[in-house]
């Protein structure tokens, strides 16, 4: 599954990649997807071991059932700015 996600991601344009959000329900799955994407990008010479890159990883927030029911506990994040 991680390999298919990675292949789909690297086949996209840079603009499409910037607008892509990949969600995994487990830390193990996230790590597998990240590794597969890195391997695909290395194979395409988009990145190298010589240079560092940064990426954003969003982590789940632990909330109680009561907190989940109220919007005051959520923040708006614009993933697609102008």
């Amino acid at each position: 599954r991680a390999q298919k996600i990675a292949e789909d991601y690297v086949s996209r344009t840079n603009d499409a990649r910037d607008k892509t959000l990949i969600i995994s329900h487990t830390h193990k799955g996230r790590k597998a997807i990240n590794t597969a994407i890195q391997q695909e990008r290395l194979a395409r010479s988009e990145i190298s071991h010589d240079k560092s890159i940064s990426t954003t990883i969003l982590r789940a927030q632990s909330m109680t059932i009561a907190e989940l029911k109220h919007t005051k506990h959520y923040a708006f994040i614009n993933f697609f700015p102008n």
Side-chain angles (χ1 to χ4, degrees), residues 5-6 8-9 14 20 22 26 29 31-32 41 43-44 49 54 56-57 61 63 74 76 78-80:
I5 292 169
D8 178 70
Y9 179 80
N14 286 337
T20 299
I22 300 171
T26 65
K31 289 177 184 177
R41 293 188 71 198
R44 294 170 180 244
H49 291 291
S54 64
T56 302
I57 297 173
Q61 295 289 6
M63 289 194 268
Y74 295 87
F76 176 76
N78 185 1
F79 288 102
F80 306 104

Side-chain angles (χ1 to χ4, degrees), residues 39-55:
Q39 292 302 318
E40 285 293 318
R41 293 188 71 198
L42 281 166
R44 294 170 180 244
S45 299
E46 293 180 8
I47 60 173
S48 70
H49 291 291
D50 301 336
K51 292 183 177 181
S52 64
I53 60 170
S54 64
T55 185

